Amino acid sequence: MTFPEKAKRAAILDAAMKLFSQYGYRRTSIDDIAHEAEIAKGTVYLSFKSKEEIFRALCESLIERTEAAVKLARDTSGPIDERLVAMLEAKFGFLFETVYRSAHAAELMDSKNRLSADLFAQSGRRYMKVLRETIGQAIRAGEIEPSRMQLDADDLAEMLVAAAHGIERNATSPARYHRRLREIVRVIVAGLSAPRVAAQT
């Protein structure tokens, strides 16, 4: 794919994101996307066969962006609570902010949407794998001991994801969501941290 082709494709996806967020998938036409991208309708069809293909490509783009941010968060240095917050923010914080800005944006991230359910299901499995591996590394490093509560890496990963979803209901702003997410992770990690051995006198 040449640079002009990539640029046109990017312009189409940017236009689609804006219009889908503002008006929803059904109310947005190929004509609307072409007009917003300032290109001819025929040019859109050179890159995408249909509006459905544009939608899926946009979902793939959002997923790629999220997964890149998750891996970056995973690879940063710092204590486990900070890394977990960063990983949850990279996925759930980003999705919350995107949906908060527009109710129609939820269509793009809806794991039950027939156009994108498979994409988000696969991404969700990859995310859980990375989260479990990160938690497993922290356990082996002695940062946390979930086994004291009869929990393992799988349990803790599921707990964190459930918490990230749960606080969406009462979060009245992105700032409140981010604050609650940090608080929950810190409380969970503090409760599972390896007990300190008292120094012998």
Side-chain angles (χ1 to χ4, degrees):
M1 189 181 294
T2 64
F3 178 75
E5 290 171 338
K6 286 184 179 179
K8 286 177 184 175
R9 185 181 175 89
I12 292 167
L13 292 178
D14 286 345
M17 180 65 185
K18 179 178 179 180
L19 294 174
F20 289 157
S21 297
Q22 287 182 341
Y23 306 111
Y25 175 79
R26 292 184 180 179
R27 289 179 57 194
T28 300
S29 68
I30 293 286
D31 283 320
D32 296 329
I33 294 171
H35 182 265
E36 180 65 31
E38 299 181 344
I39 59 177
K41 182 178 179 179
T43 303
V44 175
Y45 284 113
L46 290 176
S47 297
F48 301 97
K49 295 177 183 177
S50 64
K51 185 172 72 168
E52 179 176 322
E53 192 171 294
I54 294 174
F55 185 90
R56 282 183 62 85
L58 187 54
C59 290
E60 288 173 342
S61 176
L62 290 170
I63 288 170
E64 287 172 6
R65 172 180 170 180
T66 300
E67 292 187 349
V70 169
K71 288 176 182 176
L72 184 64
R74 176 198 63 188
D75 295 337
T76 56
S77 59
I80 186 59
D81 61 328
E82 291 181 6
R83 280 179 283 144
L84 290 175
V85 168
M87 290 175 69
L88 291 166
E89 285 282 14
K91 181 177 176 70
F92 299 104
F94 167 67
L95 296 182
F96 182 86
E97 288 211 9
T98 304
V99 172
Y100 185 84
R101 288 195 296 268
S102 168
H104 291 295
E107 292 179 60
L108 293 171
M109 291 88 172
D110 185 1
S111 60
K112 299 178 183 65
N113 189 308
R114 67 176 183 82
L115 297 176
S116 58
D118 60 321
L119 298 177
F120 283 98
Q122 292 165 16
S123 177
R125 288 192 289 271
R126 290 193 294 268
Y127 180 80
M128 290 301 290
K129 183 175 184 290
V130 172
L131 192 58
R132 286 194 301 267
E133 288 174 350
T134 301
I135 293 168
Q137 290 169 358
I139 293 171
R140 290 190 293 275
E143 290 186 86
I144 51 175
E145 288 185 9
S147 60
R148 291 192 299 115
M149 301 290 185
Q150 289 76 54
L151 301 172
D152 59 20
D154 287 350
D155 297 323
L156 186 50
E158 289 174 9
M159 242 168 147
L160 291 168
V161 169
H165 279 303
I167 60 176
E168 291 174 359
R169 297 169 191 166
N170 298 319
T172 53
S173 69
R176 184 177 176 83
Y177 180 85
H178 297 316
R179 185 172 68 253
R180 283 282 178 254
L181 191 60
R182 288 193 300 272
E183 290 168 349
I184 285 173
V185 172
R186 286 170 182 165
V187 167
I188 290 174
V189 170
L192 299 176
S193 292
R196 294 181 180 177
V197 178
Q200 302 226 350
T201 57

